[in-house]
Amino acid sequence: MAGKRTAKAAVTNEKTLNYATPALEKGLDVLELLAHQPAGLTKSQMARELNRTVSEIFRMLLCLERRGYIAQLAEDRYSLTLKLFKLVQEHPPTERLIVDALPVMHRLAHETLQSCHMGVLEGSRVAILAQVNAPSNLGFYVKLGSTVDLMEAASGYVILAHQSEEQRERTLAEWSRETGKKPPRDLAVHLSRIQKTGYEKRASYLVKGVIDISYPIFDERGSAVGALTIPYIQYNGTATPVTQVIDSLKKATAEITAALGGEAPGQKTAKGR
């Protein structure tokens, strides 16, 4: 049986290679490279980073610029436009998620006097689809459309903890492939703790003085499709207690989940009884 599976895998890999599309691969390589270069890159810099010649990527740049995915800046530098982000927002499931979440997020920000943002997994990173500022002169917020390594975001761990085992394995395999790293040794313990509490509350992985509080948003299968996070800041003087913020955030994510027709795993089990 093992020999048959190996032979079958070899045939599948051979077919995959036969269907390779070099031009598409080059174009996607350019987009993925520029996604991590806010200041843009020149043709020669891209060619060097991608281990290709300038002539190899020249046509790709012309096509991507003509279609509006990239734009030429000063000094012959190219940068991504917002077209990819707009396409993601116009994708029906994403659009509905944003439409259902924003009113709830605005109310949450006013109740807690804290900013909040909604993230979803995009490969091995968390992408910020929606963001609402705190109704105050001071506050901390995450840039709309930005991405962060899922292992450096509370929302990343919350989504991982509430995925099916199969989904989690795919996500971690993608993360390892893109980063070249192995998952943290205590990841299973960390995710188990989040599953038991239902949310994540810990010091920010990236910013000192900020406590990230994050709850999952579920689909109809009881799997996390995203997470709503409050980067909690303790102001001098009057401030909303963290316990109240946690309670408000829990109610907000439950409301968004219900609007999507989703159910938390515990609710599903209760209904099954």
Side-chain angles (χ1 to χ4, degrees):
M1 288 293 290
K4 288 183 179 179
R5 281 197 296 268
T6 304
K8 186 176 180 181
V11 171
T12 301
N13 289 335
E14 185 178 349
K15 287 182 178 179
T16 302
L17 290 173
N18 288 339
Y19 287 118
T21 50
L24 179 58
E25 292 280 355
K26 292 176 189 176
L28 293 175
D29 285 344
V30 169
L31 292 176
E32 291 175 358
L33 175 62
L34 289 178
H36 302 288
Q37 302 291 338
L41 293 171
T42 64
K43 288 192 289 287
S44 57
Q45 287 173 326
M46 280 186 273
R48 185 166 57 252
E49 290 288 334
L50 297 174
N51 196 27
R52 297 183 183 277
T53 65
V54 172
S55 59
E56 277 185 289
I57 65 169
F58 181 68
R59 289 185 179 180
M60 298 301 109
L61 296 178
L62 288 179
C63 178
L64 291 171
E65 185 177 17
R66 179 168 51 81
R67 297 292 294 267
Y69 289 97
I70 64 175
Q72 192 168 1
L73 309 176
E75 300 176 355
D76 193 34
R77 301 177 78 85
Y78 290 86
S79 178
L80 284 185
T81 67
L82 292 176
K83 184 167 183 177
L84 283 173
F85 183 59
K86 290 178 181 177
L87 288 177
V88 170
Q89 289 185 308
E90 291 169 3
H91 183 53
T94 302
E95 182 182 17
R96 183 181 173 191
L97 181 57
I98 295 172
V99 169
D100 288 336
L102 276 177
V104 180
M105 292 173 65
H106 279 286
R107 188 168 68 249
L108 176 65
H110 279 80
E111 284 180 4
T112 62
L113 303 179
Q114 302 280 339
S115 69
C116 59
H117 58 267
M118 181 176 64
V120 298
L121 284 189
E122 188 178 272
S124 65
R125 302 180 70 80
V126 175
I128 306 305
L129 285 188
Q131 202 282 143
V132 175
N133 290 341
S136 59
N137 293 329
L138 298 174
F140 175 85
Y141 72 94
V142 178
K143 185 179 178 182
L144 181 65
S146 62
T147 64
V148 63
D149 189 314
L150 72 88
M151 295 294 180
E152 295 179 348
S155 51
Y157 287 100
V158 165
I159 296 172
L160 271 180
H162 294 92
Q163 284 186 326
S164 68
E165 187 174 344
E166 184 180 347
Q167 285 177 306
R168 190 179 306 123
E169 287 179 358
R170 287 200 302 267
T171 301
L172 291 176
E174 177 72 7
W175 180 83
S176 293
R177 186 185 67 80
E178 291 191 9
T179 63
K181 302 176 183 177
K182 292 182 179 180
R185 291 183 179 180
D186 64 343
L187 180 61
V189 175
H190 188 175
L191 298 183
S192 178
R193 179 179 59 78
I194 295 174
Q195 288 173 342
K196 289 178 181 178
T197 59
Y199 69 100
E200 172 80 301
K201 172 181 171 288
R202 60 154 293 144
S204 170
Y205 291 88
L206 301 174
V207 182
K208 290 183 179 180
V210 173
I211 302 295
D212 284 335
I213 308 169
S214 185
Y215 266 91
I217 298 169
F218 295 100
D219 61 15
E220 70 283 355
R221 297 168 297 177
S223 181
V225 292
L228 188 58
T229 303
I230 287 180
Y232 181 79
I233 298 177
Q234 179 67 57
Y235 297 101
N236 291 328
T238 304
T240 308
V242 68
T243 52
Q244 185 178 329
V245 170
I246 292 173
D247 186 55
S248 295
L249 182 56
K250 180 180 180 180
K251 290 177 181 176
T253 52
E255 187 175 343
I256 297 171
T257 292
L260 292 171
E263 289 182 337
Q267 293 175 322
K268 206 159 189 175
T269 302
K271 284 188 177 183
R273 292 175 184 170

